[in-house]
Amino acid sequence: MDASQAVLDTLPQLPDEEVAGTRAVVFPDDHVDIREEKIQHGHARPRGVEMKREMTKEDKELAAAGYEHLEEHKIKKGGNDKLGDVDIQEHHLSFQELGSALETSLDTKDPSSSYGLSTDEAKKRLARDGPNVLTPPKKKSALRMYIDLLLTMFNILLIIAGILEYILLGIDFKENFANTYLGGILIAVAFLNAFIEFFQLQKSEAILASFLAMIPPSCHVVRDGAITSVPAAELVKGDIVLLRTGDKTPADLVIFAATDMKVDNSNLTGESEAQERISLPDGSRARPVEAENLVFNSTLIVNGEGWGVVVRTGDHTLIGQIAALTGGESGNKSPLATEIARFVMMVSAIAIIFAVVFFIVGITTAYKGKAAQTVTFAVSILVAFVPEGLPSVVTLLLSIAAKRMAAQNVLVKDLQGVETLGSVLILSTLTRNQMTVTNLWSGEKMYTAFQACVAFSSFFADLTVLLWGEMVDIAALNSRVKFDKTDVPFDQRTILGDATETGLTRFAGRHIADYDALHKNHPKVFEIPFNSSNKWALVILNKPHAMGSLTLYIKGAPERVLAKCSTYLKDGNIEPITDDFKTAYDEAYNYMASRGHRVIACAQMLLPGDTYDASYPFSKNDGQYPSSEFCFCGLISLEDPPKHGVREAIGTLRLAGIKVMMVTGDHPKTAEAIARKINLILGDTKETLSAKTGRPIEDIYEDEVDAVVVHGDEIDGLQGWQWDQIFTKKEIVFARTSPQHKLEIVKHAQALGHIVGVTGDGVNDSPALKKADLGIAMNISGSDVSKEAANMILLDDNFASTVKGVAEGRQIFVNLKRSIQYTISHSTPEVIPQLLYVVVPIPLPLSAILILVIDLGFELFVALSFAWDKPETKDGLMRMAPRKPVNERSIISLKKRALRRTKTLHRDTETQEIIPPGRIEVWSSKVKAPFTRTFWEDALERSEAESLVDGKLLSYSYLEAGVIEMLGALVAYFVVFYKNGFSPSDLRLAQSSSTTYFTTSSPDFVNSRGQVIDASQQVEGLAKAQSIVYLSIFIIQCFNVFAVKAKFSFPFGRSIIGNYYNFAGILGGACLGIFIIYTPPLHVVFGGSYHLSPLYWLIPAAFGVLLLGWASLRVLLLRKGIEQSRVKDIKGLMMFPTMRTMSMRSKH
């Protein structure tokens, strides 16, 4: 054992590391054409997704079908043709004219020394011009919102039915007087449904508005000669504003000083590329939208910084002048909203068809031409089929769930988006953005930045050797960070800058005695800041050396920086770069990157004084600066730990069948290393399998690997079949991606049927957040723009909160489904007795008004109680596959439909652009569709997706539980009538007779046993029979509350009966039912009889027990299928917590 190893062994051993990392920062050079993959010097690194195969024409058409609309659909921003007509002229003025026109004081040489406006002057201008806010887009009034909610299909049916009853009242008041109550209740129910939904919507909007108001947008303004932060709404013309990367421009500004400033105008002009903004001392002659010295309200600063003077505020800004641009983009309708709408239309159609059929049957049989009575009967059928209370129940269920999610730190903007999280595919940046220097490699030796170091081959040295080397100076001096304070010790300062530079500065500050003095002694002469095209940062300092007074430092992507170097620094000596050095470099670089570290290369050049003196005119635009022959100093690796709880969260999500993809700007090696630490990649990629087996990558088949790392450069050129192959992988990482790539990934995933959720916090994430089915923004680290674009906000920035959200979302779906399943189970026992009334006939078992009492009485209480249902099993629904799984069969089905649509589109013969169909054509095709073969093939195609209302639910509600309830109600009905002197044959005889029985004026009836039953006994018998039918439905439904929950286990366990709100709902329903049946004054409206013996309740109770028995048998019959849908265990998942640990482990 050598001495260095002995030193290592004395150091404390840290736990197994969570090696975190993030971007391998890459800084390409405009002058050198280098592909990042070719960093292995002499042998090209294979591309991430090199997929070659022969495809038939049919294969190509099918593969492209799902994505063709993405290629053809170009977003055209409305109003762009008006951009040239806006009234903005100030950008034409010179700096001097601008200051005079706006009556403000600006210093173009040293903008921070500008005086700006005085506070008093700013107040006067604010009072004169008004606040700097856009008039909000015209929102629907509360009345209009309420009317929209009122005019839903269910409510329209109820209102029409109610109006019909009042029309009958007008035709024959005396005969139809009882309809007064029925018509009034039907219309009142429609208005009540709309009110409940309206109230919850208003409440949700108020909560969201109060949350967004907590963080009012602010900006940095110079007033009275000092920089201060003021609310953006208080900006006035003439104010001088400082803009930095990530800021949202608060008004229209003319730029009078800028450093590498770029602005994203995509929300105004549709330009995807960020536009450079510079100061123009003599003004610009261009149109406002093309002027290089103008930035507009609401645009984003994506690079650099600048100083501008406000020339337009509020509605006078460019975006304020173009009304078409202020309208919000239409969001995607949530899957749940779509399914509820489909269910409402389906039930409404069934209700209308049955009501019409029963009207025709009734008027020709039981009512024999009595139109008024037949209409009332048809209305009762309509009422029986339409679950009147369902809209209110759904809204209240979602509202309760949203409150519960808020308690879990997940704020939901859209109530119907609550459930979306339960079936989502997530794309995310998963690290904390807190960079820490871990290792340094210089002079072919590896150093550790920690006080514990581990073996790397045979070369490790003590860090003190390096402390005063060039690496620390480069980290300190080639930097653009700022501090909140400079009058406190270095370690007490807050560093303002990006994560990488902050990490480097913190590292340098620990090893430099006087950080401020170092900067003061070596001022910058020339600088090219880092940007996304260069991917390196260069600075020239006044730092004397033997050959002159100027020193050049460069840092950036290793492959870019090394390409500019011809020598390297070793033990203070300059050596030429050799193949041996490149091999050592590759070894060190791979070591760092493969552990998920971001790797930065550093180089320097001692500028000769005879060529580069103090007066040399350095210029970035003309290339007047040294760009080659640098001396390579070394590599620095930085670690960006994964966010707390990320590893377990991803493991849990994967066990829930959710595909978690990582989309990052990191180097592919870094991205893959991070992914392996956080359960994102467990299997082999082609590259790792090739390294293990020694086989060439070209010989490895796609089905041999489950993981893929896709380089961003390849995304733009991917064909449809290549996207298909990527998305079939279980583990996917996209590296070196841009925001546009992220948006493309979302679009292509959606094209295959994935329900896509996107997490993001940066300003550039907003397009993807808006496009996704569910945009998830971060509250603490997120920008205002990302929060505006998202549907959901994680209040604590904890990625693990998404796990709680998924569990909650899935439980919400189950609870909604149970509630609907329970609610529509009573349709069969309501409708079939009506059918028997017409066909057999028998006395009406259930009046329309009692049906309403069922739907809006006890049903409403109990259906709402499902909101508090807990998971049925210990791991809940988190081991079940998403309810809409995307697999090969679903993708092929989707593509075949897309291909059919593509072939029916009309195209322009010259441009080949799609000609959109007219409204008449669209309606015509919708009407014709049900009469085509393909419509029914698509409708009846077997799918593994579970919808809110599917065949199993309808079968249970209408044919299983519904039939048991119907039998229970009819048995009780006939028993009660039998006890009151009417056998089933007597009932048929009495009802089919030309004489009207069961009214107060009816003649006596002689039954089959010779008993004489007078009118009062007939009315009492009917009242008791109708009462027991009503109570039978209620009693069996009480058992059904627990039967609908039995999916994984029998309907007796603690998890089934653990929701005490169910019992509260049952108690409330029981009180209402007994009150209606046994309270004489109410008999005028509802019927009923207080003489009904409670012993009759035992009949429906027996059928309730039968229902529980059937539910238990159903569990046994369906158990195998449910077990098969469980997600299998995933080998290799690491479910222990993520910890901040050492970047390297000892090797013994």
Side-chain angles (χ1 to χ4, degrees):
M1 184 182 293
D2 58 22
S4 63
Q5 186 61 50
V7 172
L8 288 173
D9 289 342
T10 64
L11 296 171
Q13 297 300 311
L14 293 172
D16 188 48
E17 82 173 292
E18 161 57 37
V19 193
T22 263
R23 296 184 175 84
V25 180
V26 177
F27 315 131
D29 184 7
D30 292 332
H31 309 298
V32 185
D33 184 21
I34 303 170
R35 276 198 56 82
E36 185 176 342
E37 290 81 79
K38 298 182 180 178
I39 60 173
Q40 301 288 343
H41 305 294
H43 51 280
R45 174 188 177 277
R47 293 165 66 87
V49 193
E50 196 66 47
M51 308 176 206
K52 298 178 181 176
R53 73 177 221 200
E54 292 298 321
M55 297 183 71
T56 64
K57 184 182 177 183
E58 290 76 13
D59 286 340
K60 288 179 180 177
E61 283 185 351
L62 187 63
Y67 306 116
E68 196 172 46
H69 66 288
L70 299 179
E71 303 299 326
E72 292 174 346
H73 181 62
K74 304 293 182 187
I75 298 171
K76 295 177 181 178
K77 292 285 181 181
N80 281 4
D81 54 331
K82 303 177 188 175
L83 291 173
D85 303 329
V86 293
D87 177 27
I88 297 177
Q89 308 294 333
E90 286 84 354
H91 63 290
H92 298 318
L93 305 177
S94 66
F95 290 161
Q96 188 174 357
E97 292 168 337
L98 190 65
S100 301
L102 297 173
E103 299 178 7
T104 189
S105 170
L106 51 93
D107 186 337
T108 57
K109 294 189 182 296
D110 184 4
S112 60
S113 300
S114 301
Y115 185 80
L117 299 175
S118 66
T119 304
D120 291 339
E121 178 63 22
K123 285 180 180 176
K124 288 179 187 174
R125 295 189 185 190
L126 184 63
R128 181 190 70 196
D129 299 333
N132 174 38
V133 290
L134 293 171
T135 302
K138 194 171 182 181
K139 290 180 73 176
K140 289 181 183 177
S141 66
L143 179 63
R144 174 67 190 278
M145 281 176 68
Y146 181 76
I147 290 171
D148 285 348
L149 294 170
L150 183 64
L151 298 179
T152 56
M153 197 64 185
F154 277 177
N155 291 339
I156 289 170
L157 288 179
L158 293 175
I159 291 169
I160 291 172
I163 290 170
L164 274 175
E165 292 300 320
Y166 279 110
I167 290 171
L168 295 178
L169 194 67
I171 294 170
D172 189 341
F173 184 84
K174 186 177 179 182
E175 186 70 25
N176 296 296
F177 179 73
N179 297 342
T180 308
Y181 305 110
L182 178 59
I185 291 171
L186 287 168
I187 294 170
V189 166
F191 278 84
L192 181 65
N193 270 338
F195 175 76
I196 291 172
E197 202 167 349
F198 172 77
F199 177 75
Q200 291 298 334
L201 199 63
Q202 292 287 85
K203 200 171 168 186
S204 175
E205 284 185 1
I207 291 168
L208 181 65
S210 65
F211 166 76
L212 293 176
M214 288 194 295
I215 317 171
S218 61
C219 52
H220 298 290
V221 179
V222 178
R223 285 187 181 168
D224 297 317
I227 297 179
T228 183
S229 181
V230 301
E234 294 179 12
L235 275 186
V236 295
K237 285 175 71 171
D239 263 329
I240 291 169
V241 178
L242 168 62
L243 297 172
R244 288 175 172 161
T245 302
D247 286 351
K248 187 176 179 181
T249 311
D252 287 358
L253 312 174
V254 170
I255 299 299
F256 63 88
T259 307
D260 281 295
M261 186 176 180
K262 287 190 176 181
V263 62
D264 176 11
N265 282 342
S266 59
N267 64 336
L268 284 178
T269 64
E271 297 167 296
S272 58
E273 289 295 321
Q275 305 298 306
E276 188 171 8
R277 287 294 175 260
I278 57 176
S279 60
L280 298 173
D282 298 322
S284 170
R285 299 296 104 194
R287 295 187 311 154
V289 74
E290 294 166 352
E292 293 179 298
N293 62 340
L294 258 181
V295 290
F296 303 110
N297 185 12
S298 82
T299 56
L300 307 171
I301 308 303
V302 295
N303 193 70
E305 66 178 36
W307 295 80
V309 58
V310 177
V311 295
R312 287 284 190 277
T313 60
D315 288 335
H316 301 289
T317 59
L318 180 132
I319 198 169
Q321 291 183 49
I322 304 169
L325 294 178
T326 60
E329 291 191 20
S330 57
N332 291 343
K333 202 172 183 182
S334 76
L336 184 65
T338 306
E339 289 188 34
I340 290 173
R342 191 184 298 130
F343 169 66
V344 166
M345 291 303 294
M346 181 185 74
V347 172
S348 301
I350 292 171
I352 291 168
I353 291 167
F354 268 80
V356 171
V357 169
F358 274 56
F359 176 82
I360 295 167
V361 172
I363 204 166
T364 56
T365 57
Y367 294 105
K368 297 181 177 63
K370 297 177 182 175
Q373 287 177 317
T374 316
V375 166
T376 301
F377 171 67
V379 165
S380 70
I381 294 296
L382 188 75
V383 169
F385 262 109
V386 174
E388 292 82 6
L390 191 63
S392 304
V393 168
V394 168
T395 304
L396 290 167
L397 275 170
L398 291 172
S399 178
I400 292 163
K403 282 182 186 173
R404 254 202 327 267
M405 290 180 83
Q408 306 263 23
N409 290 314
V410 180
L411 179 78
V412 182
K413 287 187 181 182
D414 172 24
L415 284 182
Q416 290 186 335
V418 170
E419 184 273 334
T420 311
L421 197 56
S423 53
V424 66
L425 162 72
I426 297 174
L427 307 109
S428 186
T429 303
L430 303 165
T431 50
R432 298 181 206 167
N433 207 28
Q434 296 172 1
M435 304 298 291
T436 305
V437 173
T438 53
N439 301 106
L440 300 95
W441 183 79
S442 181
E444 299 183 71
K445 293 180 181 179
M446 183 71 75
Y447 305 91
T448 176
F450 295 110
Q451 292 308 305
C453 58
V454 294
F456 178 77
S457 298
S458 59
F459 45 87
F460 259 99
D462 192 280
L463 182 62
T464 53
V465 177
L466 191 65
L467 284 182
W468 301 109
E470 298 298 329
M471 303 278 278
V472 175
D473 281 356
I474 292 172
L477 296 171
N478 189 354
S479 173
R480 292 175 61 80
V481 300
K482 293 180 172 58
F483 302 101
D484 62 336
K485 300 174 183 175
T486 54
D487 56 349
V488 295
F490 183 87
D491 58 358
Q492 295 177 22
R493 300 178 186 179
T494 298
I495 303 173
L496 309 174
D498 69 53
T500 303
E501 291 218 323
T502 299
L504 290 171
T505 301
R506 194 177 287 112
F507 162 73
R510 285 201 301 266
H511 303 300
I512 295 173
D514 191 338
Y515 186 92
D516 295 329
L518 182 70
H519 273 262
K520 189 175 181 180
N521 294 335
H522 305 302
K524 292 178 183 178
V525 174
F526 173 72
E527 182 179 22
I528 300 177
F530 166 79
N531 61 53
S532 56
S533 58
N534 279 350
K535 296 196 175 177
W536 46 256
L538 179 147
V539 66
I540 296 175
L541 307 158
N542 189 350
K543 187 180 181 187
H545 50 86
M547 295 187 293
S549 61
L550 301 180
T551 301
L552 178 150
Y553 287 149
I554 185 172
K555 69 178 182 187
E559 65 276 9
R560 310 290 171 154
V561 172
L562 185 63
K564 295 176 175 290
C565 298
S566 57
T567 57
Y568 71 98
L569 198 63
K570 183 178 182 180
D571 300 329
N573 301 317
I574 295 176
E575 306 282 348
I577 289 178
T578 61
D579 289 341
D580 290 341
F581 170 80
K582 289 179 180 179
T583 302
Y585 163 90
D586 284 342
E587 188 181 355
Y589 180 84
N590 289 337
Y591 171 81
M592 291 172 163
S594 65
R595 277 150 182 77
H597 296 178
R598 183 178 295 184
V599 187
I600 303 290
C602 301
Q604 68 170 7
M605 185 177 187
L606 306 178
L607 301 182
D610 54 350
T611 306
Y612 300 100
D613 57 15
S615 62
Y616 186 86
F618 293 107
S619 171
K620 180 183 74 170
N621 296 331
D622 301 331
Q624 292 291 314
Y625 64 91
S627 59
S628 60
E629 301 300 317
F630 298 158
C631 177
F632 189 85
C633 296
L635 298 171
I636 302 176
S637 71
L638 299 98
E639 180 183 32
D640 187 1
K643 293 175 180 174
H644 294 293
V646 140
R647 175 191 278 158
E648 311 94 286
I650 290 176
T652 306
L653 291 173
R654 290 193 63 184
L655 286 171
I658 294 172
K659 186 178 286 190
V660 185
M661 303 194 309
M662 182 172 168
V663 182
T664 178
D666 293 344
H667 184 281
K669 279 183 177 290
T670 306
E672 184 180 341
I674 295 169
R676 290 190 182 280
K677 291 173 201 154
I678 56 177
N679 285 326
L680 243 165
I681 291 184
L682 302 174
D684 283 319
T685 62
K686 280 190 173 184
E687 289 80 2
T688 59
L689 187 60
S690 172
K692 281 181 184 178
T693 60
R695 293 160 56 198
I697 289 178
E698 295 76 18
D699 292 348
I700 296 173
Y701 293 99
E702 286 298 328
D703 57 6
E704 290 185 74
V705 294
D706 291 328
V708 64
V709 180
V710 185
H711 195 292
D713 289 348
E714 297 163 0
I715 289 175
D716 294 330
L718 290 176
Q719 297 176 33
W721 64 271
Q722 291 174 305
W723 280 108
D724 289 352
Q725 281 197 341
I726 290 169
F727 284 122
T728 56
K729 301 297 182 193
K730 294 178 183 175
E731 300 164 341
I732 306 168
V733 170
F734 291 93
R736 284 288 193 248
T737 54
S738 67
Q740 184 61 31
H741 290 148
K742 195 168 186 176
L743 183 59
E744 286 301 310
I745 293 163
V746 172
K747 287 179 179 177
H748 283 83
Q750 287 174 327
L752 292 180
H754 288 286
I755 295 175
V756 182
V758 176
T759 62
D761 49 14
V763 291
N764 290 327
D765 289 326
S766 56
L769 289 171
K770 199 174 278 187
K771 178 64 183 169
D773 297 289
L774 186 71
I776 307 169
M778 304 295 165
N779 174 36
I780 300 167
S781 62
S783 63
D784 291 345
V785 187
S786 65
K787 291 177 201 172
E788 286 169 19
N791 313 94
M792 191 174 283
I793 299 168
L794 301 183
L795 298 178
D796 58 355
D797 278 22
N798 188 352
F799 182 77
S801 294
T802 55
V803 175
K804 298 173 187 172
V806 168
E808 191 68 55
R810 290 189 172 189
Q811 191 62 45
I812 289 162
F813 178 78
V814 168
N815 292 350
L816 267 175
K817 194 160 186 168
R818 286 173 179 172
S819 187
I820 292 170
Q821 193 170 342
Y822 168 84
T823 302
I824 65 175
S825 291
H826 60 64
S827 292
T828 303
E830 288 174 355
V831 172
I832 298 299
Q834 308 284 346
L835 184 62
L836 296 177
Y837 163 65
V838 174
V839 175
V840 175
I842 58 174
L844 186 66
L846 205 60
S847 65
I849 205 154
L850 276 179
I851 290 173
L852 272 177
V853 173
I854 291 171
D855 292 0
L856 300 167
F858 66 80
E859 292 285 75
L860 203 58
F861 290 114
V862 181
L864 194 57
S865 71
F866 284 106
W868 289 276
D869 267 2
K870 299 235 166 65
E872 195 177 339
T873 57
K874 188 178 179 182
D875 55 7
L877 299 158
M878 294 304 285
R879 288 302 302 271
M880 304 299 292
R883 66 185 184 89
K884 289 194 175 180
V886 176
N887 50 36
E888 191 174 355
R889 188 166 71 181
S890 71
I891 289 171
I892 290 173
S893 171
L894 204 67
K895 283 179 174 290
K896 282 182 178 176
R897 294 183 194 189
L899 189 59
R900 278 204 305 270
R901 284 197 303 272
T902 304
K903 290 183 175 179
T904 58
L905 294 172
H906 300 296
R907 295 178 182 272
D908 187 284
T909 50
E910 293 182 4
T911 64
Q912 287 300 303
E913 287 184 4
I914 294 172
I915 302 170
R919 286 188 179 181
I920 296 173
E921 193 177 348
V922 170
W923 277 102
S924 172
S925 63
K926 284 183 178 179
V927 171
K928 291 176 185 174
F931 303 99
T932 61
R933 181 178 174 180
T934 53
F935 174 85
W936 291 105
E937 283 178 351
D938 290 347
L940 299 173
E941 186 178 18
R942 193 177 158 215
S943 169
E944 293 176 28
E946 181 186 4
S947 55
L948 189 65
V949 181
D950 54 17
K952 286 180 182 176
L953 182 145
L954 294 174
S955 169
Y956 176 87
S957 296
Y958 289 134
L959 303 178
E960 298 166 36
V963 168
I964 291 172
E965 288 185 25
M966 179 264 294
L967 291 173
L970 286 177
V971 168
Y973 169 86
F974 286 120
V975 168
V976 167
F977 256 129
Y978 187 79
K979 286 292 184 182
N980 284 270
F982 290 91
S983 66
S985 58
D986 291 334
L987 292 174
R988 186 177 184 278
L989 183 64
Q991 192 66 17
S992 57
S993 170
S994 56
T995 306
T996 303
Y997 292 100
F998 303 105
T999 65
T1000 52
S1001 58
S1002 298
D1004 293 346
F1005 178 80
V1006 181
N1007 66 15
S1008 57
R1009 288 171 283 178
Q1011 295 172 325
V1012 178
I1013 304 169
D1014 62 23
S1016 62
Q1017 288 174 315
Q1018 293 172 32
V1019 171
E1020 181 67 19
L1022 179 61
K1024 286 181 180 179
Q1026 288 187 337
S1027 298
I1028 197 61
V1029 170
Y1030 169 81
L1031 289 175
S1032 293
I1033 294 173
F1034 165 68
I1035 290 166
I1036 303 174
Q1037 280 285 75
C1038 290
F1039 288 88
N1040 195 28
V1041 169
F1042 308 105
V1044 294
K1045 298 183 189 183
K1047 183 176 181 180
F1048 302 105
S1049 55
F1050 298 117
F1052 318 112
R1054 187 174 178 181
S1055 61
I1056 301 289
I1057 62 172
N1059 180 1
Y1060 301 118
Y1061 288 98
N1062 287 155
F1063 294 99
I1066 290 170
L1067 181 63
C1071 292
L1072 179 67
I1074 291 168
F1075 179 66
I1076 286 171
I1077 297 301
Y1078 291 97
T1079 306
L1082 297 180
H1083 295 167
V1084 179
V1085 180
F1086 302 106
S1089 171
Y1090 61 87
H1091 294 121
L1092 181 69
S1093 171
L1095 287 174
Y1096 290 117
W1097 299 358
L1098 295 175
I1099 297 170
F1103 278 88
V1105 172
L1106 175 64
L1107 179 59
L1108 290 181
W1110 171 248
S1112 302
L1113 181 61
R1114 205 168 180 267
V1115 169
L1116 292 173
L1117 293 172
L1118 298 178
R1119 179 169 283 175
K1120 188 176 179 182
I1122 292 170
E1123 282 299 321
Q1124 287 176 347
S1125 66
R1126 281 176 64 87
V1127 178
K1128 305 294 184 289
D1129 288 336
I1130 300 173
K1131 189 178 178 181
L1133 278 184
M1134 300 175 287
M1135 299 304 288
F1136 50 87
T1138 47
M1139 295 178 293
R1140 178 69 180 87
T1141 59
M1142 293 293 298
S1143 65
M1144 297 182 292
R1145 286 177 289 151
S1146 295
K1147 289 183 180 179
H1148 297 289

